Amino acid sequence: MGKYIVGRLLRWIPSIFILLLLIYALVFFGAGDPIKLIFLRAPGDVAYDEARIEAIRESAGLNRPFPVQFGDYISHIIRGDFGNSLVSGRSVNEMLSAAVPVTLQIGLTAVFFLALIGILLGVIAALNQNKLIDNLIVGFALFIWGIPVFVSGPLIIVFMVMVIGADIPYGWSGLFSPKVIVPLLVLGLNPMALIIRQARAAVLEVMSEDYVRTARAKGLPSQIVVFRHMLRPVLIPVFSQLGLIVINTLNNSILIEKVFGLPGLGRLTESAIKDSDYPVILAIVLIFSIVVMLSNLLVDIMYPLLDPRAEYKRKGGEE
Amino acid sequence: MSAALISLACTMVVFAGGGKETSSVESGQVLRIAHPTLTQSWSPLQGGGHQVRWQSLMWAAPMYFDKEGNLQPYVISKAEPSSDFVTWRLSVNPKAVFSDGSPITAEDVKGTWDLCVIPSTKHQRADLFLGGVKGFKEVASGTQKSLSGIVVKDSRTLEVILSEPDPIFDQKIATALIPPVKISQARDANGEEKREWWHPKNKVVVSGPFMPESMDLDQGIVVLVPNPNFFGPKPKLSRIIITTVSDASTATLMLKTGKMDAHTELITPTLIDDLGADFVSGPPLAKGHHFWFDYSKPPMDDINVRKALIMCINSEDLAKAAYPKGPYIPATQILNKVPGVDPNFQKYPYDPEGAKKALAASKYKEGRLLPKIMFVGISTPTHEAAAQYMAEQWRKILGIEGVEMKADLDSYSGPDQKSVQIFRDDVGTRVPDAVSYLLGSIHSSSGNARGKMGGYKNPKVDALLDEAKTKGVKDPARIKLAQEAQRIFRDDYMYIPYYYDVMSKWAMPWVMNFDKNDDWQVIEPWNVYIDESKKVKK
């Protein structure tokens, strides 16, 4: 297993390099002049003095050829230095060290709870197939899957102020602050629908398996059948969705953090894109890519633990 | 939909009677400002970006214009020109001190202005204020680090030598965008701006009425408290909290429910419905939006076509189409707000019959024979409504069917990009001066004439403005010549007047004395207070 993980990690290096090259090229050749874009970041801003803009571009080293700039960037990345923001001159490392923990805390907590509740609801729905409770859960899943977070976020804020008369849950005071509950809920709702549907489908499939029928025929209590015999195979398809859920969560964090004022990677992304601050954009892309790759690696590592046949196949065995 | 929800929410909140007063604290009044971007730099030497709108809270400008538009001393107490307006002697206010009590010196002023001009500082507007100073080009291009035209005579006196006469140099430096900073704190050994010197963690000293107590750049929260050593009047507010609220709906709800008192700049389609007309009201700006004809492109190369198109438009209906609930003022002449607005200016008539006659007199004769008319600058629903109104008038009156409108040139395909004839854009001036206004809008050297009007050049207009700019501010000939130039320009039928801008205060009605100037700055931050009786009761 250790060899496998090291192999996977080594294979990341060219992937990340190509990704960075692509993003850097996109920004370099396609996104317009970064200095002009920085100058034009607020209404009423001006960028008409070409000579001055050229001088600023030169002072920032932006008029060097693409390979030189990219090579310079990569050499800094290798040393763990993401450079400085073009807009503020602030260290990107410093910005990330503040933003990453917030997004990670919220993202992981949301994924944990959405998985827990999603699996539970999926199992309940499957055990009550075609009954009212199944219809309610499936209907709920469809409903939340259909509402994008940029609608549900503001809607929940309006609802809270309107019905509860509560304060707007805005800002960040740590993971254990009550203010985090609503953003977590909004962040988790959408991917939870995916889990519910996957879990329900998996339970329905497992329920028709011989070993479940045998367990029931033996007279085992329902809870034992579910938790001991059904849950593990049910987790396999659910777990395989982890990569997708992580991507979804990261995407949604951009909107959630903006709406609820959370100082995480999502809000930083929005601000960097608005300002065309490409050292920040590149660093965030890199972090997002690593998180997605890590989550996929985690799935690969966990998969054989849930399904030993996967390990057997990986070692070259035939089914 | 969102507007309706917000309104419903707020109405419910008001009727529910829940919540509590938010902006009055025991120790005094707190002004809460919602800021739309996660600002990572609060350097006062950037000259642009959203954070620049709050510069006057922390930094004293060299000079400033009061609400009536009169030039007032601030850090610079006196600006005296030589008789030829080439050399200016600036005296630093002897009372001017930083928040640590140390005096603001002539070296600080010169050092700050040098720093504003060097490229690595990335000051966006240094040329507007200091572009006329001798040595500007060398510093702006990065070959020099010190403006040779600014000479420190003694700790309280500067001599500024300009490249050419400028009778309004004192007005140009009346801006909070080049505020003197403690140069030993802001500049490093290489003569460049130190990183994060403006952060309270680096014990920044400021010169304005408020000073930063804390700046959480990651959360986007800046807290300001009164500067105990401020050399002006004592501020009435005890605290200002600027919080990043990127989402416009959340910000609107916060303002409506009294969680916030003001906003840096909030633009939503339902703003007036949500927050009332007072929120966006403000004094007129010396800035007008117009539709400019590119007279190098057919059919605008024919003055009769231009005349016909203009006479189809009722200027009041045009402004109303875009902003049915205000607060913008329909435009007529180019000049507005500045001294020298022409009281005898003949606005273009709304005359459908005259328009038909003008078109008949053109080489095209009929509307259906005109080339397709293409707009750019139709970048918002409001501008689109205005352009639609014009297209409809042209269709009804002149029978013109082919009209296209897009946000920018890139939106047109290659060949069409070269044929666009109408540009919607604004012109204006920062200084209350008619000549500056027209030099930047209708003189052949202006970007507006060169770009949007297709290289427009009327030698008579140029000659009058060139002569006007050499006249002193108090010389009546300065304004007279400018007005004459504008009248000649009018007869060239080069633009459709649209509307004059206002400087919206973006503050709730309970925020008092929140007037802003043309640089978006609160003019007298020390006078701002909150009228609790006007505050929303939840």
Side-chain angles (χ1 to χ4, degrees), chain B residues 260-322:
Chain B
M260 290 285 168
D261 308 303
H263 198 281
T264 305
E265 184 174 36
L266 185 61
I267 300 171
T268 68
T270 55
L271 195 59
I272 292 179
D273 291 333
D274 291 335
L275 298 173
D278 186 65
F279 184 78
V280 285
S281 67
L285 269 178
K287 185 165 117 180
H289 291 253
H290 309 288
F291 292 89
W292 304 96
F293 294 138
D294 181 336
Y295 84 156
S296 68
K297 311 276 170 62
M300 302 307 172
D301 52 351
D302 188 326
I303 189 171
N304 283 314
V305 173
R306 302 200 298 268
K307 202 187 274 188
L309 295 178
I310 291 170
M311 287 199 289
C312 289
I313 307 302
N314 180 331
S315 58
E316 303 218 337
D317 287 350
L318 177 65
K320 210 177 277 179

Side-chain angles (χ1 to χ4, degrees), chain B residues 208-224:
Chain B
F210 295 90
M211 57 187 224
E213 182 184 64
S214 64
M215 277 187 183
D216 185 336
L217 301 178
D218 302 306
Q219 286 249 33
I221 299 173
V222 173
V223 179
L224 309 178

Side-chain angles (χ1 to χ4, degrees), chain B residues 284-288 290 329 333-339 341 427-429 437 486 499-501:
Chain B
L285 269 178
K287 185 165 117 180
H290 309 288
I329 307 145
Q333 57 188 298
I334 302 288
L335 294 174
N336 77 306
K337 198 195 167 188
V338 296
V341 171
V427 289
T429 178
Y437 203 142
Q486 188 183 229
Y499 69 89
Y500 300 129
D501 242 335

